[in-house]
Amino acid sequence: MAEHEKTASVGIVCGSRSDFPVMDKAVELLGRLEVPCEMRAISAHRAPDLLFRFVAGAERRGVRVFIAGAGGAAHLPGVVAAKTLLPVVGVPIPTQVAGGLDSLLSIVQMPKGIPVATVAIGGAENAALLAVEILALSDPALRDRLKAFRDAQTRSIEDDESNADLRGTT
Ligand code: RP5
């Protein structure tokens, strides 16, 4: 385990290493907002006991939110949610066969009792932002960084040349 992982606030788990290119976008965004995270590839169906150990260990190490990305019959986020009281954000991974609609429905259609906050297909950035919003509830400095991120995002659209004629108008 790398040194920075000991203080991770967000635990990211993927069903496979093949999900990393999508989920790396969450890691990158969390890094921009200075939120420590750790990412693992642990299949819920191929290695369920390892997944349970990861969830329990991550909680002990200080993880406060999980992000789980999986594709196809994507039960990983629901299984993580079943093993923790922490919030779980699910990311449906795009697939070859159904474009990720299979992943989306598998994750979003959780039966009542165990929720998973599901973002768009491939929506790893929004998963990271949702995790940040949750953490910011009890971290004023992080809230300030999130506000600055939002403001910069708005400014980049206002500064776009195609909107030049709208500047300064209400
Ligand atoms: C899921 O099956 C993973 O989340 C991945 O999106 C998909 C394909 O997995 P691999 O074939 O790369 O193992 O479990």
Side-chain angles (χ1 to χ4, degrees):
M1 185 171 62
E3 187 61 30
H4 74 279
E5 291 187 353
K6 288 182 186 153
T7 54
S9 308
V10 179
I12 303 176
V13 59
C14 308
S16 164
R17 276 188 164 267
S18 64
D19 301 330
F20 279 3
V22 172
M23 300 304 287
D24 275 343
K25 293 182 284 180
V27 175
E28 190 193 329
L29 193 39
L30 290 169
R32 277 174 67 185
L33 290 168
E34 298 169 49
V35 174
C37 68
E38 59 177 272
M39 183 158 79
R40 307 293 178 96
I42 308 174
S43 164
H45 53 277
R46 294 175 189 136
D49 294 338
L50 185 64
L51 179 65
F52 297 167
R53 284 207 297 280
F54 164 71
V55 173
E59 283 202 32
R60 275 198 304 274
R61 290 192 298 278
V63 160
R64 290 292 166 261
V65 186
F66 285 102
I67 297 175
H75 34 245
L76 175 71
V79 172
V80 171
K83 296 297 285 185
T84 182
L85 294 177
L86 297 175
V88 178
V89 183
V91 181
I93 301 293
T95 59
Q96 300 265 329
V97 285
L101 197 55
D102 43 356
S103 322
L104 173 65
L105 293 176
S106 298
I107 297 174
V108 81
Q109 291 285 37
M110 279 295 290
K112 68 176 178 293
I114 305 290
V116 171
T118 310
V119 296
I121 297 168
E125 293 101 333
N126 269 0
L129 288 171
L130 198 51
V132 168
E133 288 176 6
I134 292 166
L135 295 169
L137 287 170
S138 57
D139 184 339
L142 179 56
R143 189 182 184 283
D144 288 347
R145 294 199 293 281
L146 178 59
K147 177 77 169 65
F149 173 88
R150 285 274 189 104
D151 289 348
Q153 183 170 251
T154 301
R155 261 196 319 278
S156 75
I157 297 165
E158 289 172 348
D159 291 348
D160 190 285
E161 268 318 297
S162 69
N163 295 322
D165 60 324
L166 296 173
R167 280 181 211 140
T169 61
T170 51

